[in-house]
Amino acid sequence: PIVIPGRLLGVVCHEHMGSTRAWHPREIEFASLVGQLIALALEAERRAEAERTARGTEAKYKNLVEALPVTVYSIDARSGKLVYVSPRVETLGGLTAAEWLEQGAGAWIQQIHPDDREPVLERFRIGTGRGFPEEITYRIVLPDGSVRWVRDTCNVVRDVAGHALVFQGVLLDVTAQTEAELSRREFERRYRSLLENVDLMALSLDTQARVTFVNEAYLRATGMTAEEIVGRDWFEVSLAPEEAAPMRKTYLDNLQKGRVIPRFEFTVLTKKGERR
């Protein structure tokens, strides 16, 4: 037989022409060796071709990865060693890819803001087990003291048997988006704080006229609770019946045209049915 790992390619046949004869053990051994030599030659050729294909694939992969506007990294799952990081990492701290490979993953941990470091350390403690957090957003502190936000998305790459090989991850600089979101939240917090403390009836509606916020002054004036009004159609739950439908239509029609009526008068019903 001509056998390579996991596959029978064929057989080598040795035929004797002439009268009947007996095959000696040495001849049988020789025939087997011929089959083995052919198998070795074919396997060597197959591996060489696989290596050439792998080198070509690796080159294409590397070119693609290094052209991406993100930092790609790989960490050996068994040793915890940083085995690859794309050149883009230089924008996240000033060090080159070669310098990061020399310093290792521990140096990156030290660059993470102390208040954000624990979730990343917890990811390493979990390792390849269940509950591995695939996405974490945290701050890194650059040598000049400036702070950047990065979104770290990581997956465990496994072999066919399910054994972990590497942690393959992507780092994306999300400083602009995160700071904008934090500013929006702070603005909303201050806005709500203002409405909560002003002695005027105040509320917010979404584009479907549902109540998203109502302040204490409104609740005191109507005798309602926040649970009774938030999430409901404001025109239906609070306005006088004869005004609700036309005012709701006016509100929605104006929103579709991209405008809001800045000033108008209406009648609000209290929980007891009194008019305000």
Side-chain angles (χ1 to χ4, degrees), residues 215-234:
N215 73 348
E216 287 296 323
Y218 190 98
L219 298 176
R220 286 196 305 270
T222 61
M224 301 181 72
T225 65
E227 290 74 16
E228 290 172 324
I229 188 169
V230 173
R232 298 182 63 184
D233 187 308
W234 177 64

Side-chain angles (χ1 to χ4, degrees), residues 35-201:
Q36 293 171 15
L37 287 172
I38 295 174
L40 285 173
L42 292 175
E43 176 64 8
E45 182 181 9
R46 185 191 68 80
R47 291 194 177 188
E49 179 60 29
E51 289 174 2
R52 287 194 293 270
T53 301
R55 283 195 296 270
T57 302
E58 183 179 353
K60 292 178 183 178
Y61 171 76
K62 185 177 180 181
N63 290 336
L64 173 63
V65 164
E66 293 183 356
L68 294 173
V70 295
T71 298
V72 179
Y73 67 88
S74 294
I75 298 175
D76 187 279
R78 289 164 292 187
S79 66
K81 181 180 179 182
L82 182 66
V83 293
Y84 174 78
V85 63
S86 61
R88 186 84 179 184
V89 73
E90 194 167 350
T91 64
L92 297 175
L95 296 181
T96 65
E99 289 170 329
W100 278 117
L101 288 173
E102 182 178 347
Q103 295 197 23
W108 179 261
I109 298 295
Q110 293 303 312
Q111 186 173 262
I112 297 174
H113 192 285
D115 294 344
D116 299 342
R117 201 172 289 164
E118 182 56 31
V120 181
L121 294 174
E122 179 64 16
R123 174 189 271 179
F124 280 100
R125 283 194 287 268
I126 293 173
T128 60
R130 294 187 177 183
F132 181 83
E134 294 186 354
E135 184 173 293
I136 306 175
T137 300
Y138 52 83
R139 291 166 290 177
I140 58 173
V141 182
L142 303 188
D144 62 3
S146 61
V147 175
R148 305 286 283 277
W149 286 88
V150 297
R151 182 180 299 131
D152 186 344
T153 306
C154 184
N155 290 285
V156 182
V157 180
R158 304 177 185 274
D159 61 18
V160 293
H163 300 130
L165 297 176
V166 296
F167 297 105
Q168 187 79 58
V170 174
L171 299 171
L172 177 63
D173 188 335
V174 292
T175 303
Q177 301 95 306
T178 303
E179 290 182 347
E181 175 63 16
L182 291 174
S183 296
R184 185 194 66 78
R185 290 179 185 176
E186 177 61 16
F187 175 81
E188 184 175 325
R189 185 191 67 79
R190 293 183 181 183
Y191 171 72
R192 291 203 170 208
S193 177
L194 174 66
L195 294 184
E196 284 282 8
N197 293 289
V198 71
D199 194 24
L200 296 170
M201 298 167 65

Side-chain angles (χ1 to χ4, degrees), residues 201-206 209-239 266 268-271:
M201 298 167 65
L203 73 160
S204 296
L205 308 181
D206 65 13
R210 292 184 295 259
V211 179
T212 59
F213 168 81
V214 62
N215 73 348
E216 287 296 323
Y218 190 98
L219 298 176
R220 286 196 305 270
T222 61
M224 301 181 72
T225 65
E227 290 74 16
E228 290 172 324
I229 188 169
V230 173
R232 298 182 63 184
D233 187 308
W234 177 64
F235 294 96
E236 292 181 359
V237 75
S238 285
L239 267 65
F266 52 89
V268 174
L269 296 182
T270 68
K271 189 172 182 179

Side-chain angles (χ1 to χ4, degrees), residues 10-30:
V11 294
V12 178
C13 296
H14 300 264
E15 296 184 357
H16 167 69
M17 303 296 291
S19 58
T20 302
R21 61 162 294 177
W23 291 93
H24 299 296
R26 280 190 172 184
E27 294 172 323
I28 295 173
E29 183 181 358
F30 170 76

